[in-house]
């Protein structure tokens, strides 16, 4: 059994760098992952990448959480 099965994870800044790496790891461990970022295109690319690597469905929404 994967460590994060039946767990939900929300990651802001999930389209690149540390956020993307966290999303990849959580999804690989069975978590339901939801990504947020201000760059819609990078976010869509990250969502597709994480889904294809992990086989998990990944939700996302482009938004600016700084304000």
């Amino acid at each position: 059994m994967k460590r994060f099965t039946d767990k939900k994870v929300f990651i802001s800044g999930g389209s690149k760098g540390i956020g993307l790496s966290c999303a990849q790891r959580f999804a690989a461990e069975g978590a339901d992952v939801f990504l947020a970022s201000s760059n819609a295109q990078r976010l869509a690319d990250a969502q597709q990448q994480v889904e294809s690597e992990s086989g998990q469905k990944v939700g996302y929404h482009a938004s600016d959480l700084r304000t």
Side-chain angles (χ1 to χ4, degrees), residues 9-12 14-15 23 27 31-37 43-44 46-48 50-51 56-62:
V9 178
F10 177 87
I11 300 173
S12 62
S15 67
D32 295 327
V33 176
F34 190 89
L35 303 174
S37 176
L43 187 58
Q47 180 260 348
Q48 289 177 352
V50 174
E51 278 189 356
Q56 293 283 106
K57 284 296 230 176
V58 176
Y60 70 98
H61 183 73

Side-chain angles (χ1 to χ4, degrees), residues 23-52:
Q24 291 167 318
R25 184 59 187 239
F26 277 116
E29 290 287 342
D32 295 327
V33 176
F34 190 89
L35 303 174
S37 176
S38 60
N39 186 308
Q41 183 58 55
R42 257 195 330 239
L43 187 58
D45 293 343
Q47 180 260 348
Q48 289 177 352
Q49 179 181 350
V50 174
E51 278 189 356
S52 68

Side-chain angles (χ1 to χ4, degrees), residues 1-7 25-26 28-31:
M1 181 164 176
K2 297 180 179 180
R3 292 187 303 167
F4 292 101
T5 300
D6 297 327
K7 302 293 183 190
R25 184 59 187 239
F26 277 116
E29 290 287 342

